[in-house]
Amino acid sequence: MSNPFVRLVEPLDPKQPLKKFFNLRKLEDVRYVHLPFSIRVLLEAAIRNCDDFLVKKEDVENILNWKVVQHKNVEVPFKPARVILQDFTGVPAVVDFAAMRDAVKKLGGDPEKINPICPADLVIDHSIQVDFNRRSDSLQKNQDLEFERNKERFEFLKWGSQAFKNMRIIPPGSGIIHQVNLEYLARVVMDQDGYYYPDSVVGTDSHTTMIDGLGVLGWGVGGIEAEAVMLGQPISMVLPEVVGYKLLGNTQPLVTSTDIVLTITKHLRQVGVVGKFVEFFGPGVAQLSIADRATIANMCPEYGATAAYFPVDDISIGYLIQTGRDKEKVMCTKKYLEAVGMLRDFKNSSQDPDFTQVVELNLHTVVPCCSGPKRPQDKVAVSDMKNDFETCLGAKQGFKGFQIAPDRHNSVVKFNFEGCDFELGHGSVVIAAITSCTNTSNPSVMLGAGLLAKKAVEAGLTVKPYIKTSLSPGSGVVTYYLRESGVMSYLSQLGFDVVGYGCMTCIGNSGPLPESVVEAITQGDLVAVGVLSGNRNFEGRVHPNTRANYLASPPLVIAYAIAGTVRIDFEKEPLGINASGKKIFLKDIWPTRNEIQAVESQFVIPGMFKEVYQKIETVNKSWNALNAPSDKLYTWNPKSTYIKSPPFFDGLTLALQNPKTIEDAYVLLNFGDSVTTDHISPAGNIARNSPAARYLTSRGLTPREFNSYGSRRGNDAVMARGTFANIRLVNKFLDKQGPQTVHFPSGETLDVFDAAERYKQAGHPLIVLAGKEYGAGSSRDWAAKGPFLLGVKAVLAESYERIHRSNLVGMGVIPLQYPPGEDAQTLGLTGRERYTIIIPEKMKPQMNVQIKLDNGKTFHAIMRLDTEVELTYFCNGGILNYMIRKMAS
């Protein structure tokens, strides 16, 4: 037996006795040496916070006993060291904080108690769009338009940075949140209040997991949960299973980190890791740079895990120095990690911990690949792309099918662009974007793309002018080394000018396509293609006119742009024919690994990172010139269509009301599998015939001023109308795609918002039926807030993605799950029934509840309130209501 828990404090260095760290005599505890490194971070956080009444000694013991209790739904608290936000989720978070201050004041409390108590960094990266491209002034024009559209939002965020302590805003034009976190914000080890402890983070973006690649444990949460964390509330989590992912061997010469992560994504989707940690180990990890690891960790949401952790090793320490971090602090970081047994040597198998399950990948088996046409997990080897796409053309409508009649597979539509004649067919590339922190954070693939562009231009290859090409780096450092290494001019010659520093095409901010291109696609009902170096390609996300979208490495994005189609076999067919009549194949211009490494070692240097990041908070003159009010309580402008006080806290009292049975609910929507948060709450353009458009028009706006749903997340009136407004929504009540449903009392087919309003006016509660993986994708809290405002009281699904289930709980919407072996089909549910969900007075986590139908049938479902804390939130009507009552009392 190990010693009973005693929290000890020791100095890290006898010469600096004030700099201490918490020690459990862990290294003498046999349980500790077998713990996965990711679980060790949870343990450190518990030890650090165990004086807090929210974290008890039993919690520490439970974590130490992870191997024994991992399958027993043991609940533990986790208080991360930091929170990061991006502006699409950050604006509604600040709106909520402002409204919560008002609510606390109304209840007689101190409104300034609503304030972050841990560091919170908000990076503005989601607002800029690709309105201009293929011109030298694209960057400036896009940034000017970004400020013109979003000035009111930005002024509100600047107010928030002044009104709330511990909240820092990284202005627009600085980069993408996760790349800025990797290169600048992450500490790896915190040095605060005289103590060292591991850095950890949650973020209001699902790809927060990217920082796991540096050894900082982090994952995405909904904005609602992040707000509670900022106010001091720990995350209540079931102690997770940890899947050990063993990497072996060496990669082949032509393989990139993108190919590795797409391979892993498909593999882990097949393994099934939803709700689990994945921890990478094995000698193959030592072959990967931090940028490679960050790429793999970034796409953790796409394979469904909570975290994708790479423990800190000497390569991590070297990366901190390479990116310009203070050398003395880095050495203290290393010393601390050694002292607590958290510095990893991946080549030393004696350090391998115990895992719930171990799966392996030999890196030598990875081949160049893409993923698509509609999901990140649908990996396709580049050598199979042509055949795979042509098979998808004729296949039944679905994730791998477009159901195009065989006699139309070779249809061609001719069109004119800028005075020249061109033609489009199925598979024609119309968007080619080097975008997203997933890949632009990795110098090897970015310099690889630059060197490929150089060789392509020198070989006489070009990109057709109608293809919308763009380059949106995740930080200014990327432009710096591309320019210094001499490849930027070649990228520009192929149309890949820098168009902005933000997420852009990856999140659907791809801007308009040329009108003649859109007309040709529409006329021929063509399956046009987008190729991007992003992390998601769900239907309707990248652009409304690209029905097929493929994820690819930056060099492959350029290759497909040059080819102009995905219906090409690169091994047998040339990319193009130059002016001399010579056929140029992809192998002729693909740079070698040695070429890339030589350029990277010369031009990616610490001085670049220091120069870019030392002025990151002040470099944007437009941001500096913004005037923001200085009041601690926000003065709401009733005329604003961007910022509006939300109705979530209207009528809130200190007294709790017991949850009631949901009686005779109608089904608003009936879905199949893989309904994403993009389907539930789209972020892109506002369609001119939508309820949101009608509302904005009634407020005096023109379509040009609509902006996007993502930019309107500070206004609940727009967002409620935008809920389930995705043009690719597939509702089983209808025989066509679109954001509509059947209003059963009248039998009419209506826009989803209009149907929900009718139900609400008649006093009818609503539920949603769904299949597997409900709520996959982005962490957006409006995918829970929106249904709540529509009157949805519960969702009944086969399974949930982790963040969305948590968001539903946070809004007081019940996530119900069919028992194993049951679903709507086995129970004979059509969705046309009315549902009564019995909510008992005494509830417990994951209990079965009875559901009665108006046809007399009865069945049971699991109420996915997974912890006692989640039950508390639910009984309060949601997590924010709980926090307001706590602060007010």
Side-chain angles (χ1 to χ4, degrees), residues 391-419:
T391 300
C392 289
L393 272 183
K396 183 181 178 182
Q397 184 70 241
F399 297 124
K400 293 287 287 185
F402 298 101
Q403 210 160 332
I404 303 296
D407 61 348
R408 292 186 50 241
H409 284 196
N410 295 312
S411 298
V412 170
V413 178
K414 295 183 179 180
F415 69 102
N416 187 275
F417 178 76
E418 295 183 345

PDB file of all heavy atoms in Angstrom, residues 391-419:
ATOM      1  N   THR A 391     -16.496   6.992 -58.568  1.00  0.00           N
ATOM      2  CA  THR A 391     -17.431   6.068 -57.908  1.00  0.00           C
ATOM      3  C   THR A 391     -18.456   6.849 -57.091  1.00  0.00           C
ATOM      4  O   THR A 391     -19.653   6.530 -57.102  1.00  0.00           O
ATOM      5  CB  THR A 391     -16.659   5.103 -56.989  1.00  0.00           C
ATOM      6  OG1 THR A 391     -15.723   4.356 -57.765  1.00  0.00           O
ATOM      7  CG2 THR A 391     -17.610   4.145 -56.277  1.00  0.00           C
ATOM      8  N   CYS A 392     -17.994   7.881 -56.389  1.00  0.00           N
ATOM      9  CA  CYS A 392     -18.903   8.715 -55.590  1.00  0.00           C
ATOM     10  C   CYS A 392     -19.952   9.401 -56.455  1.00  0.00           C
ATOM     11  O   CYS A 392     -21.095   9.591 -56.015  1.00  0.00           O
ATOM     12  CB  CYS A 392     -18.116   9.774 -54.821  1.00  0.00           C
ATOM     13  SG  CYS A 392     -17.123   9.145 -53.455  1.00  0.00           S
ATOM     14  N   LEU A 393     -19.573   9.785 -57.667  1.00  0.00           N
ATOM     15  CA  LEU A 393     -20.522  10.468 -58.552  1.00  0.00           C
ATOM     16  C   LEU A 393     -21.813   9.671 -58.713  1.00  0.00           C
ATOM     17  O   LEU A 393     -22.912  10.216 -58.598  1.00  0.00           O
ATOM     18  CB  LEU A 393     -19.905  10.703 -59.939  1.00  0.00           C
ATOM     19  CG  LEU A 393     -19.103  11.969 -60.173  1.00  0.00           C
ATOM     20  CD1 LEU A 393     -18.657  12.031 -61.626  1.00  0.00           C
ATOM     21  CD2 LEU A 393     -19.917  13.212 -59.822  1.00  0.00           C
ATOM     22  N   GLY A 394     -21.677   8.389 -58.969  1.00  0.00           N
ATOM     23  CA  GLY A 394     -22.856   7.574 -59.255  1.00  0.00           C
ATOM     24  C   GLY A 394     -23.458   6.892 -58.047  1.00  0.00           C
ATOM     25  O   GLY A 394     -24.580   6.358 -58.131  1.00  0.00           O
ATOM     26  N   ALA A 395     -22.741   6.920 -56.911  1.00  0.00           N
ATOM     27  CA  ALA A 395     -23.231   6.218 -55.720  1.00  0.00           C
ATOM     28  C   ALA A 395     -24.449   6.916 -55.139  1.00  0.00           C
ATOM     29  O   ALA A 395     -24.687   8.110 -55.359  1.00  0.00           O
ATOM     30  CB  ALA A 395     -22.118   6.128 -54.680  1.00  0.00           C
ATOM     31  N   LYS A 396     -25.223   6.148 -54.379  1.00  0.00           N
ATOM     32  CA  LYS A 396     -26.411   6.678 -53.730  1.00  0.00           C
ATOM     33  C   LYS A 396     -26.069   7.886 -52.868  1.00  0.00           C
ATOM     34  O   LYS A 396     -25.015   7.940 -52.254  1.00  0.00           O
ATOM     35  CB  LYS A 396     -27.053   5.576 -52.875  1.00  0.00           C
ATOM     36  CG  LYS A 396     -28.345   5.975 -52.204  1.00  0.00           C
ATOM     37  CD  LYS A 396     -28.891   4.812 -51.368  1.00  0.00           C
ATOM     38  CE  LYS A 396     -30.171   5.226 -50.640  1.00  0.00           C
ATOM     39  NZ  LYS A 396     -30.700   4.124 -49.794  1.00  0.00           N
ATOM     40  N   GLN A 397     -26.968   8.863 -52.829  1.00  0.00           N
ATOM     41  CA  GLN A 397     -26.752  10.074 -52.042  1.00  0.00           C
ATOM     42  C   GLN A 397     -26.379   9.712 -50.602  1.00  0.00           C
ATOM     43  O   GLN A 397     -27.074   8.949 -49.930  1.00  0.00           O
ATOM     44  CB  GLN A 397     -28.030  10.913 -52.028  1.00  0.00           C
ATOM     45  CG  GLN A 397     -27.908  12.244 -51.310  1.00  0.00           C
ATOM     46  CD  GLN A 397     -27.030  13.239 -52.047  1.00  0.00           C
ATOM     47  OE1 GLN A 397     -25.995  13.675 -51.514  1.00  0.00           O
ATOM     48  NE2 GLN A 397     -27.397  13.585 -53.262  1.00  0.00           N
ATOM     49  N   GLY A 398     -25.241  10.232 -50.147  1.00  0.00           N
ATOM     50  CA  GLY A 398     -24.761   9.920 -48.808  1.00  0.00           C
ATOM     51  C   GLY A 398     -23.381  10.506 -48.618  1.00  0.00           C
ATOM     52  O   GLY A 398     -22.934  11.345 -49.405  1.00  0.00           O
ATOM     53  N   PHE A 399     -22.669  10.040 -47.584  1.00  0.00           N
ATOM     54  CA  PHE A 399     -21.349  10.581 -47.298  1.00  0.00           C
ATOM     55  C   PHE A 399     -20.357  10.312 -48.433  1.00  0.00           C
ATOM     56  O   PHE A 399     -19.408  11.059 -48.624  1.00  0.00           O
ATOM     57  CB  PHE A 399     -20.808   9.993 -45.996  1.00  0.00           C
ATOM     58  CG  PHE A 399     -21.639  10.342 -44.801  1.00  0.00           C
ATOM     59  CD1 PHE A 399     -22.159   9.354 -43.984  1.00  0.00           C
ATOM     60  CD2 PHE A 399     -21.916  11.662 -44.493  1.00  0.00           C
ATOM     61  CE1 PHE A 399     -22.926   9.673 -42.877  1.00  0.00           C
ATOM     62  CE2 PHE A 399     -22.690  12.003 -43.395  1.00  0.00           C
ATOM     63  CZ  PHE A 399     -23.204  11.003 -42.580  1.00  0.00           C
ATOM     64  N   LYS A 400     -20.571   9.238 -49.179  1.00  0.00           N
ATOM     65  CA  LYS A 400     -19.683   8.908 -50.292  1.00  0.00           C
ATOM     66  C   LYS A 400     -20.484   8.783 -51.594  1.00  0.00           C
ATOM     67  O   LYS A 400     -20.168   7.964 -52.445  1.00  0.00           O
ATOM     68  CB  LYS A 400     -18.943   7.592 -50.011  1.00  0.00           C
ATOM     69  CG  LYS A 400     -17.957   7.660 -48.858  1.00  0.00           C
ATOM     70  CD  LYS A 400     -16.694   8.431 -49.183  1.00  0.00           C
ATOM     71  CE  LYS A 400     -15.778   7.680 -50.117  1.00  0.00           C
ATOM     72  NZ  LYS A 400     -14.491   8.409 -50.337  1.00  0.00           N
ATOM     73  N   GLY A 401     -21.493   9.621 -51.746  1.00  0.00           N
ATOM     74  CA  GLY A 401     -22.276   9.511 -52.961  1.00  0.00           C
ATOM     75  C   GLY A 401     -23.033  10.777 -53.313  1.00  0.00           C
ATOM     76  O   GLY A 401     -23.492  11.515 -52.429  1.00  0.00           O
ATOM     77  N   PHE A 402     -23.172  11.025 -54.647  1.00  0.00           N
ATOM     78  CA  PHE A 402     -23.892  12.202 -55.142  1.00  0.00           C
ATOM     79  C   PHE A 402     -25.095  11.836 -56.026  1.00  0.00           C
ATOM     80  O   PHE A 402     -25.877  12.692 -56.405  1.00  0.00           O
ATOM     81  CB  PHE A 402     -22.932  13.113 -55.937  1.00  0.00           C
ATOM     82  CG  PHE A 402     -21.811  13.657 -55.108  1.00  0.00           C
ATOM     83  CD1 PHE A 402     -20.544  13.083 -55.170  1.00  0.00           C
ATOM     84  CD2 PHE A 402     -22.014  14.719 -54.241  1.00  0.00           C
ATOM     85  CE1 PHE A 402     -19.503  13.580 -54.409  1.00  0.00           C
ATOM     86  CE2 PHE A 402     -20.968  15.214 -53.469  1.00  0.00           C
ATOM     87  CZ  PHE A 402     -19.711  14.652 -53.552  1.00  0.00           C
ATOM     88  N   GLN A 403     -25.209  10.564 -56.388  1.00  0.00           N
ATOM     89  CA  GLN A 403     -26.343  10.046 -57.163  1.00  0.00           C
ATOM     90  C   GLN A 403     -26.529  10.810 -58.483  1.00  0.00           C
ATOM     91  O   GLN A 403     -27.617  11.220 -58.850  1.00  0.00           O
ATOM     92  CB  GLN A 403     -27.634  10.105 -56.325  1.00  0.00           C
ATOM     93  CG  GLN A 403     -28.630   9.025 -56.683  1.00  0.00           C
ATOM     94  CD  GLN A 403     -29.646   8.787 -55.582  1.00  0.00           C
ATOM     95  OE1 GLN A 403     -29.367   9.014 -54.409  1.00  0.00           O
ATOM     96  NE2 GLN A 403     -30.807   8.328 -55.952  1.00  0.00           N
ATOM     97  N   ILE A 404     -25.435  10.985 -59.204  1.00  0.00           N
ATOM     98  CA  ILE A 404     -25.496  11.589 -60.542  1.00  0.00           C
ATOM     99  C   ILE A 404     -25.715  10.472 -61.555  1.00  0.00           C
ATOM    100  O   ILE A 404     -25.033   9.452 -61.538  1.00  0.00           O
ATOM    101  CB  ILE A 404     -24.191  12.350 -60.864  1.00  0.00           C
ATOM    102  CG1 ILE A 404     -23.910  13.426 -59.795  1.00  0.00           C
ATOM    103  CG2 ILE A 404     -24.252  12.957 -62.267  1.00  0.00           C
ATOM    104  CD1 ILE A 404     -24.923  14.534 -59.722  1.00  0.00           C
ATOM    105  N   ALA A 405     -26.675  10.669 -62.452  1.00  0.00           N
ATOM    106  CA  ALA A 405     -26.990   9.649 -63.461  1.00  0.00           C
ATOM    107  C   ALA A 405     -25.750   9.351 -64.312  1.00  0.00           C
ATOM    108  O   ALA A 405     -24.988  10.263 -64.655  1.00  0.00           O
ATOM    109  CB  ALA A 405     -28.129  10.127 -64.350  1.00  0.00           C
ATOM    110  N   PRO A 406     -25.525   8.074 -64.642  1.00  0.00           N
ATOM    111  CA  PRO A 406     -24.311   7.690 -65.391  1.00  0.00           C
ATOM    112  C   PRO A 406     -24.112   8.468 -66.682  1.00  0.00           C
ATOM    113  O   PRO A 406     -22.968   8.783 -67.042  1.00  0.00           O
ATOM    114  CB  PRO A 406     -24.541   6.192 -65.664  1.00  0.00           C
ATOM    115  CG  PRO A 406     -25.427   5.747 -64.548  1.00  0.00           C
ATOM    116  CD  PRO A 406     -26.330   6.898 -64.260  1.00  0.00           C
ATOM    117  N   ASP A 407     -25.211   8.805 -67.389  1.00  0.00           N
ATOM    118  CA  ASP A 407     -25.059   9.502 -68.661  1.00  0.00           C
ATOM    119  C   ASP A 407     -24.656  10.970 -68.497  1.00  0.00           C
ATOM    120  O   ASP A 407     -24.388  11.673 -69.472  1.00  0.00           O
ATOM    121  CB  ASP A 407     -26.353   9.415 -69.481  1.00  0.00           C
ATOM    122  CG  ASP A 407     -27.546  10.051 -68.777  1.00  0.00           C
ATOM    123  OD1 ASP A 407     -27.442  10.354 -67.575  1.00  0.00           O
ATOM    124  OD2 ASP A 407     -28.580  10.244 -69.442  1.00  0.00           O
ATOM    125  N   ARG A 408     -24.566  11.427 -67.224  1.00  0.00           N
ATOM    126  CA  ARG A 408     -24.185  12.823 -66.968  1.00  0.00           C
ATOM    127  C   ARG A 408     -22.805  12.934 -66.316  1.00  0.00           C
ATOM    128  O   ARG A 408     -22.365  14.030 -65.977  1.00  0.00           O
ATOM    129  CB  ARG A 408     -25.229  13.502 -66.065  1.00  0.00           C
ATOM    130  CG  ARG A 408     -26.587  13.709 -66.732  1.00  0.00           C
ATOM    131  CD  ARG A 408     -27.539  14.519 -65.843  1.00  0.00           C
ATOM    132  NE  ARG A 408     -26.894  15.714 -65.370  1.00  0.00           N
ATOM    133  CZ  ARG A 408     -26.689  16.004 -64.075  1.00  0.00           C
ATOM    134  NH1 ARG A 408     -27.075  15.143 -63.142  1.00  0.00           N
ATOM    135  NH2 ARG A 408     -26.101  17.124 -63.718  1.00  0.00           N
ATOM    136  N   HIS A 409     -22.113  11.802 -66.146  1.00  0.00           N
ATOM    137  CA  HIS A 409     -20.829  11.841 -65.448  1.00  0.00           C
ATOM    138  C   HIS A 409     -19.782  12.677 -66.184  1.00  0.00           C
ATOM    139  O   HIS A 409     -18.872  13.231 -65.554  1.00  0.00           O
ATOM    140  CB  HIS A 409     -20.293  10.424 -65.234  1.00  0.00           C
ATOM    141  CG  HIS A 409     -20.991   9.694 -64.138  1.00  0.00           C
ATOM    142  ND1 HIS A 409     -20.495   8.554 -63.550  1.00  0.00           N
ATOM    143  CD2 HIS A 409     -22.160   9.946 -63.497  1.00  0.00           C
ATOM    144  CE1 HIS A 409     -21.337   8.132 -62.611  1.00  0.00           C
ATOM    145  NE2 HIS A 409     -22.349   8.966 -62.578  1.00  0.00           N
ATOM    146  N   ASN A 410     -19.892  12.761 -67.471  1.00  0.00           N
ATOM    147  CA  ASN A 410     -18.899  13.513 -68.252  1.00  0.00           C
ATOM    148  C   ASN A 410     -19.467  14.808 -68.811  1.00  0.00           C
ATOM    149  O   ASN A 410     -18.951  15.354 -69.792  1.00  0.00           O
ATOM    150  CB  ASN A 410     -18.343  12.638 -69.368  1.00  0.00           C
ATOM    151  CG  ASN A 410     -17.550  11.451 -68.825  1.00  0.00           C
ATOM    152  OD1 ASN A 410     -16.698  11.607 -67.941  1.00  0.00           O
ATOM    153  ND2 ASN A 410     -17.838  10.251 -69.310  1.00  0.00           N
ATOM    154  N   SER A 411     -20.550  15.288 -68.183  1.00  0.00           N
ATOM    155  CA  SER A 411     -21.150  16.549 -68.613  1.00  0.00           C
ATOM    156  C   SER A 411     -20.152  17.694 -68.483  1.00  0.00           C
ATOM    157  O   SER A 411     -19.364  17.742 -67.532  1.00  0.00           O
ATOM    158  CB  SER A 411     -22.393  16.867 -67.780  1.00  0.00           C
ATOM    159  OG  SER A 411     -23.380  15.882 -67.947  1.00  0.00           O
ATOM    160  N   VAL A 412     -20.219  18.629 -69.428  1.00  0.00           N
ATOM    161  CA  VAL A 412     -19.328  19.788 -69.434  1.00  0.00           C
ATOM    162  C   VAL A 412     -20.161  21.036 -69.684  1.00  0.00           C
ATOM    163  O   VAL A 412     -21.086  21.025 -70.511  1.00  0.00           O
ATOM    164  CB  VAL A 412     -18.248  19.648 -70.523  1.00  0.00           C
ATOM    165  CG1 VAL A 412     -17.492  20.946 -70.696  1.00  0.00           C
ATOM    166  CG2 VAL A 412     -17.269  18.536 -70.155  1.00  0.00           C
ATOM    167  N   VAL A 413     -19.854  22.106 -68.957  1.00  0.00           N
ATOM    168  CA  VAL A 413     -20.524  23.393 -69.167  1.00  0.00           C
ATOM    169  C   VAL A 413     -19.457  24.416 -69.529  1.00  0.00           C
ATOM    170  O   VAL A 413     -18.475  24.591 -68.810  1.00  0.00           O
ATOM    171  CB  VAL A 413     -21.273  23.840 -67.897  1.00  0.00           C
ATOM    172  CG1 VAL A 413     -21.916  25.214 -68.135  1.00  0.00           C
ATOM    173  CG2 VAL A 413     -22.338  22.827 -67.513  1.00  0.00           C
ATOM    174  N   LYS A 414     -19.656  25.075 -70.662  1.00  0.00           N
ATOM    175  CA  LYS A 414     -18.714  26.115 -71.096  1.00  0.00           C
ATOM    176  C   LYS A 414     -19.137  27.460 -70.520  1.00  0.00           C
ATOM    177  O   LYS A 414     -20.318  27.741 -70.356  1.00  0.00           O
ATOM    178  CB  LYS A 414     -18.670  26.183 -72.619  1.00  0.00           C
ATOM    179  CG  LYS A 414     -18.115  24.902 -73.246  1.00  0.00           C
ATOM    180  CD  LYS A 414     -18.011  25.020 -74.754  1.00  0.00           C
ATOM    181  CE  LYS A 414     -17.420  23.736 -75.350  1.00  0.00           C
ATOM    182  NZ  LYS A 414     -17.295  23.821 -76.822  1.00  0.00           N
ATOM    183  N   PHE A 415     -18.146  28.294 -70.199  1.00  0.00           N
ATOM    184  CA  PHE A 415     -18.446  29.615 -69.648  1.00  0.00           C
ATOM    185  C   PHE A 415     -17.304  30.559 -69.986  1.00  0.00           C
ATOM    186  O   PHE A 415     -16.217  30.135 -70.400  1.00  0.00           O
ATOM    187  CB  PHE A 415     -18.663  29.543 -68.134  1.00  0.00           C
ATOM    188  CG  PHE A 415     -17.421  29.237 -67.336  1.00  0.00           C
ATOM    189  CD1 PHE A 415     -16.733  30.237 -66.659  1.00  0.00           C
ATOM    190  CD2 PHE A 415     -16.926  27.937 -67.258  1.00  0.00           C
ATOM    191  CE1 PHE A 415     -15.590  29.955 -65.925  1.00  0.00           C
ATOM    192  CE2 PHE A 415     -15.788  27.644 -66.522  1.00  0.00           C
ATOM    193  CZ  PHE A 415     -15.108  28.651 -65.859  1.00  0.00           C
ATOM    194  N   ASN A 416     -17.570  31.839 -69.791  1.00  0.00           N
ATOM    195  CA  ASN A 416     -16.570  32.867 -70.088  1.00  0.00           C
ATOM    196  C   ASN A 416     -16.156  33.553 -68.790  1.00  0.00           C
ATOM    197  O   ASN A 416     -17.004  33.907 -67.971  1.00  0.00           O
ATOM    198  CB  ASN A 416     -17.128  33.899 -71.063  1.00  0.00           C
ATOM    199  CG  ASN A 416     -16.067  34.880 -71.530  1.00  0.00           C
ATOM    200  OD1 ASN A 416     -15.797  35.868 -70.863  1.00  0.00           O
ATOM    201  ND2 ASN A 416     -15.470  34.603 -72.684  1.00  0.00           N
ATOM    202  N   PHE A 417     -14.846  33.703 -68.626  1.00  0.00           N
ATOM    203  CA  PHE A 417     -14.327  34.389 -67.448  1.00  0.00           C
ATOM    204  C   PHE A 417     -13.252  35.370 -67.886  1.00  0.00           C
ATOM    205  O   PHE A 417     -12.258  34.977 -68.521  1.00  0.00           O
ATOM    206  CB  PHE A 417     -13.746  33.386 -66.449  1.00  0.00           C
ATOM    207  CG  PHE A 417     -13.154  34.018 -65.220  1.00  0.00           C
ATOM    208  CD1 PHE A 417     -13.978  34.517 -64.221  1.00  0.00           C
ATOM    209  CD2 PHE A 417     -11.779  34.125 -65.069  1.00  0.00           C
ATOM    210  CE1 PHE A 417     -13.434  35.108 -63.087  1.00  0.00           C
ATOM    211  CE2 PHE A 417     -11.226  34.709 -63.941  1.00  0.00           C
ATOM    212  CZ  PHE A 417     -12.060  35.209 -62.947  1.00  0.00           C
ATOM    213  N   GLU A 418     -13.491  36.642 -67.605  1.00  0.00           N
ATOM    214  CA  GLU A 418     -12.552  37.715 -67.945  1.00  0.00           C
ATOM    215  C   GLU A 418     -12.133  37.659 -69.406  1.00  0.00           C
ATOM    216  O   GLU A 418     -10.951  37.796 -69.755  1.00  0.00           O
ATOM    217  CB  GLU A 418     -11.330  37.669 -67.020  1.00  0.00           C
ATOM    218  CG  GLU A 418     -11.673  37.956 -65.560  1.00  0.00           C
ATOM    219  CD  GLU A 418     -10.458  37.990 -64.647  1.00  0.00           C
ATOM    220  OE1 GLU A 418      -9.375  37.521 -65.082  1.00  0.00           O
ATOM    221  OE2 GLU A 418     -10.581  38.475 -63.511  1.00  0.00           O
ATOM    222  N   GLY A 419     -13.128  37.396 -70.287  1.00  0.00           N
ATOM    223  CA  GLY A 419     -12.895  37.437 -71.722  1.00  0.00           C
ATOM    224  C   GLY A 419     -12.346  36.165 -72.332  1.00  0.00           C
ATOM    225  O   GLY A 419     -12.133  36.107 -73.554  1.00  0.00           O
TER     226      GLY A 419
END
